[in-house]
Amino acid sequence: MLSNAFGYTKAQAAETTNVQELVSSRTSADILAKWKQYQPMSTASNYMDGDYIYDNKPSFSPGSYQAGKLKEIYVEDAIRATNFVRYLAGLPDDVTADWSLSDQEQMASILNAMNGGLSHYPPQPAQMSDSLFKLGYKGASSSNLSAGRPTLYSTVLFGYMSDRSASNIDRVGHRRWILNPPMKKTMFGMALLPESRYGSYSAMYAFNKDRNPNDVQYDYVSWPSAGYFPNEVFAVDDPWSIGLQPNRYDANRTSDIQVTLKRERDGRVWNLDKSSTDKEGDYFNVDTGGYGIPLTIIFRPKGIESFASNDAFQVTVTGVYTKDGQPTTISYKTTFFDMVPAISTVTQLIKLNVGESFTIPIQFEHSKDEKQQLTYTSTNPNILSIDQQGVVTALREGEGTIQISGFFNSYADVRFSVSTSNGTDRPSAWALEDYTFAKSKGLVSLEYDERYQSAMDRYGFAQAAVGLIEQLQGTPIPTKESPFTDTKSEVAIKAYYSGIMKGNALSQFTPTMSITRQEAAVLLMNIYNKLNKSAASAISGPAKTLFKDDAAIASWAKASVYQAAQLELLKGNDEGTFLPKGQLTREQTFAMLAKLYKLISE
């Protein structure tokens, strides 16, 4: 393995690659690991600022044109994209940069920038020397070309590999050049010209065939591939393509070819053949042009609104003939999956005091991998500062938002309200650590993040408890019709149907009513028993020591009080009394839920 100064690695392919064996044997975890190896430099959509992407800036001035030179890190970014899509297709992912073509690809990009459009055969701009024009013309006529995309990485993944426009769908030529088995080297150019029609113009050398054809064995190369395939790199309106091994299949007998696509979850079927000619809908074509693998079947079904995670499609191709005239069928299954989990936060509105720091709690949908790369941005940097570990600091009074972005347009926002502390409204010293933990888990909502020694009401307890349950069980609590006559609150409904809190005899939730300490013990054990199936064994046996006011504890609460005490979720006072009818305070609520969170998590 080779690595550069930035820690990225270049994969070395085996001497011989068998496409069908590779795609059928790998798992979604294998693809995720490869993605982490080949992911782009940044989660941001535009990180290729003209002031930073060049070692030497190009010149667009008539009479003094210069090719310039991209920094190695930006070219390697595009190389990673190239190798990632080749890996997905089952091809060797060891393509490297051919720096001898740097000037050629730069001039191809500059030619198109100066002409304000894309052409493989561009005219010569005024006052451009013949030598530079010929160099750029050679590059333009042997490269994939693109305009308007912010990065080379996105150009490869979502420009060339998509090829869904009406002018490209009939041949998907950009895609086929990238998935050409013999490719072993390529090179990129980029011309950023903000005042031009598209702003950015790029080129990718396409004609390399340095690899020995015998090093890649395949019956077909498909996009999306057979086996597992990530949702993030294939849109529902992208065309599917299957490049057939030219040494095996007859490129002259294609009129009978048709494709049947069947979605497994609902049995829906699409039949596509030469009568499917709608470039905006159902489409089918067989192209035998000279783009990478010459014999390629292209099809796109209409009416797929989205790919669900683990959405499987059976692809069946009939009407194909081998070189010796035998009819044959090609069949495989593609299973889409969510490669990069969606970002979410456990809370969307947080209160901070000036000078207070807070680490934003992040969750990744369907994933426990906490090593996802994220970018944090403050929309009000004079009010909130943020570092790239997610630690936000309140600088002055006001409101602001922290935007969190991940790959593939995954994002979340957290709003903050910043005020100046009066110096007295703060959690007690004994509760501070647990309060901070509860806040980091989103259990302290904005309206209850004050007056910490005041009574906690039933709505506030339910809100924090529901958040704790949903986080620890990893799924939302389902909602139904409200059983209460005094509230339609989703929080109250979830607390009821999860078995945590009930209403009174009049079917009222009484959201503003305070909670006693013995009631809190019952509620705590309801949560504990719901989340911990081994609760009985964990808290079995009589209490070793009775509270001095044991007689004052209601019979319906006594078992829960001693169970909660045994688990160290609730304590008595220094005199050994429990005070069962004392009001539960906000800071006591946060402290005991923090302890319960830690206990269940461990």
Side-chain angles (χ1 to χ4, degrees):
M1 304 290 285
L2 302 176
S3 64
N4 61 22
F6 298 93
Y8 299 119
T9 57
K10 301 175 183 178
Q12 302 300 303
E15 290 186 2
T16 301
T17 298
N18 186 297
V19 171
Q20 270 61 58
E21 288 182 0
L22 192 152
V23 298
S24 64
S25 63
R26 69 189 175 196
T27 65
S28 58
D30 294 333
I31 294 174
L32 177 59
K34 187 65 71 170
W35 155 252
K36 289 184 176 181
Q37 177 183 341
Y38 287 141
Q39 67 188 21
M41 293 183 296
S42 172
T43 60
S45 61
N46 186 353
Y47 51 87
M48 296 189 71
D49 191 296
D51 291 335
Y52 301 105
I53 72 171
Y54 298 109
D55 275 334
N56 299 309
K57 285 187 177 182
S59 172
F60 302 97
S61 300
S64 57
Y65 290 104
Q66 291 183 6
K69 184 179 181 182
L70 287 169
K71 288 183 177 179
E72 180 180 354
I73 186 174
Y74 289 103
V75 175
E76 287 300 323
D77 202 49
I79 294 294
R80 286 194 298 278
T82 302
N83 280 325
F84 182 55
V85 299
R86 285 177 64 87
Y87 167 79
L88 291 178
L91 295 168
D93 56 319
D94 60 351
V95 172
T96 58
D98 186 348
W99 282 95
S100 69
L101 300 177
S102 175
D103 286 351
Q104 171 182 296
E105 297 307 294
Q106 277 297 111
M107 287 308 304
S109 304
I110 290 173
L111 271 181
N112 282 314
M114 297 309 299
N115 289 319
L118 295 180
S119 174
H120 292 292
Y121 311 104
Q124 184 171 356
Q127 300 184 52
M128 179 178 284
S129 70
D130 290 344
S131 60
L132 287 179
F133 171 67
K134 289 179 180 178
L135 187 64
Y137 190 92
K138 182 179 180 181
S141 61
S142 59
S143 299
N144 285 340
L145 304 175
S146 180
R149 292 201 171 268
T151 68
L152 292 174
Y153 200 105
S154 63
T155 297
V156 172
L157 251 67
F158 308 117
Y160 298 146
M161 294 306 298
S162 172
D163 261 358
R164 64 173 174 259
S165 68
S167 59
N168 289 308
I169 192 173
D170 61 339
R171 58 193 182 281
V172 293
H174 304 94
R175 177 192 298 177
R176 286 158 68 184
W177 281 124
I178 294 175
L179 300 185
N180 194 20
M183 176 182 275
K184 201 166 186 178
K185 294 180 180 179
T186 188
M187 191 59 201
F188 292 83
M190 171 72 89
L192 296 179
L193 193 61
E195 64 272 20
S196 64
R197 180 182 179 187
Y198 294 110
S200 66
Y201 299 79
S202 61
M204 174 188 183
Y205 182 66
F207 287 177
N208 180 269
K209 297 180 181 180
D210 284 357
R211 190 184 311 278
N212 187 327
N214 295 325
D215 290 347
V216 184
Q217 299 176 8
Y218 67 97
D219 191 46
Y220 56 87
V221 175
S222 62
W223 187 265
S225 69
Y228 287 101
F229 196 88
N231 270 332
E232 290 83 354
V233 298
F234 192 80
V236 293
D237 50 355
D238 284 353
W240 301 50
S241 62
I242 307 172
L244 303 183
Q245 168 58 258
N247 295 328
R248 180 180 181 194
Y249 295 102
D250 190 345
N252 296 313
R253 298 185 66 180
T254 63
S255 60
D256 294 334
I257 295 177
Q258 56 183 337
V259 172
T260 299
L261 187 68
K262 182 178 181 180
R263 183 166 58 193
E264 288 191 350
R265 63 180 162 93
D266 59 2
R268 184 174 178 180
V269 173
W270 290 264
N271 293 302
L272 302 160
D273 57 26
K274 61 185 179 182
S275 66
S276 307
T277 58
D278 183 0
K279 290 188 175 182
E280 302 299 327
D282 285 333
Y283 183 76
F284 176 90
N285 188 42
V286 179
D287 186 74
T288 56
Y291 303 93
I293 299 176
L295 176 56
T296 295
I297 302 166
I298 303 156
F299 59 98
R300 181 181 59 195
K302 180 182 180 181
I304 299 179
E305 295 181 354
S306 64
F307 295 119
S309 191
N310 295 316
D311 228 351
F313 290 79
Q314 185 67 40
V315 180
T316 304
V317 184
T318 59
V320 179
Y321 288 86
T322 61
K323 288 279 192 178
D324 58 5
Q326 298 300 310
T328 188
T329 298
I330 296 170
S331 181
Y332 61 88
K333 182 168 74 172
T334 296
T335 302
F336 292 95
F337 74 101
D338 294 330
M339 179 178 66
V340 177
I343 304 167
S344 63
T345 61
V346 294
T347 184
Q348 285 76 47
L349 184 58
I350 296 171
K351 174 188 172 184
L352 294 179
N353 291 319
V354 174
E356 185 179 358
S357 293
F358 178 78
T359 301
I360 297 177
I362 301 294
Q363 292 181 322
F364 298 99
E365 187 176 345
H366 310 306
S367 174
K368 295 182 179 180
D369 184 359
E370 301 297 327
K371 298 180 181 180
Q372 303 288 336
Q373 183 176 335
L374 300 174
T375 299
Y376 297 87
T377 306
S378 174
T379 61
N380 305 82
N382 59 327
I383 296 174
L384 300 168
S385 67
I386 183 76
D387 65 20
Q388 292 311 304
Q389 282 68 52
V391 179
V392 60
T393 301
L395 303 178
R396 54 182 290 187
E397 287 188 345
E399 296 185 352
T401 300
I402 300 298
Q403 297 177 335
I404 308 133
S405 58
F407 293 112
F408 303 116
N409 296 319
S410 179
Y411 65 91
D413 291 343
V414 182
R415 293 186 295 127
F416 289 85
S417 176
V418 181
S419 59
T420 300
S421 172
N422 61 16
T424 58
D425 188 14
R426 62 181 63 178
S428 302
W430 66 266
L432 185 59
E433 181 179 345
D434 286 329
Y435 156 80
T436 302
F437 179 85
K439 190 170 183 176
S440 74
K441 298 301 180 183
L443 307 183
V444 182
S445 62
L446 182 68
E447 62 267 37
Y448 292 91
D449 198 1
E450 59 182 2
R451 298 185 293 115
Y452 306 99
Q453 290 79 38
S454 64
M456 173 60 83
D457 58 41
R458 283 170 55 82
Y459 178 85
F461 187 96
Q463 186 180 55
V466 165
L468 181 148
I469 292 169
E470 291 186 330
Q471 283 188 57
L472 290 180
Q473 72 180 9
T475 56
I477 298 171
T479 58
K480 304 177 183 179
E481 290 294 324
S482 175
F484 306 115
T485 59
D486 60 342
T487 182
K488 301 294 183 182
S489 164
E490 184 177 274
V491 163
I493 295 170
K494 287 185 174 184
Y496 176 83
Y497 284 110
S498 63
I500 303 304
M501 302 176 74
K502 299 178 180 179
N504 61 22
L506 300 176
S507 298
Q508 295 173 328
F509 183 71
T510 58
T512 60
M513 181 179 289
S514 59
I515 299 172
T516 65
R517 285 171 50 80
Q518 63 182 358
E519 289 172 335
V522 174
L523 299 179
L524 267 182
M525 294 314 300
N526 286 344
I527 301 171
Y528 181 86
N529 291 331
K530 177 178 180 61
L531 294 174
N532 189 342
K533 301 304 181 183
S534 60
S537 61
I539 56 177
S540 60
K544 294 181 180 179
T545 304
L546 297 180
F547 291 111
K548 292 180 180 180
D549 54 352
D550 174 78
I553 302 174
S555 59
W556 51 265
K558 190 164 291 190
S560 294
V561 167
Y562 285 108
Q563 289 168 353
Q566 185 176 341
L567 293 170
E568 299 184 351
L569 300 176
L570 277 175
K571 295 181 179 180
N573 62 18
D574 292 340
E575 287 76 34
T577 56
F578 182 70
L579 304 175
K581 296 183 180 179
Q583 286 188 332
L584 181 74
T585 66
R586 293 182 176 187
E587 64 182 5
Q588 288 172 351
T589 302
F590 302 144
M592 67 186 194
L593 289 179
K595 295 178 188 298
L596 180 59
Y597 192 109
K598 295 174 185 177
L599 180 64
I600 299 295
S601 298
E602 293 168 358

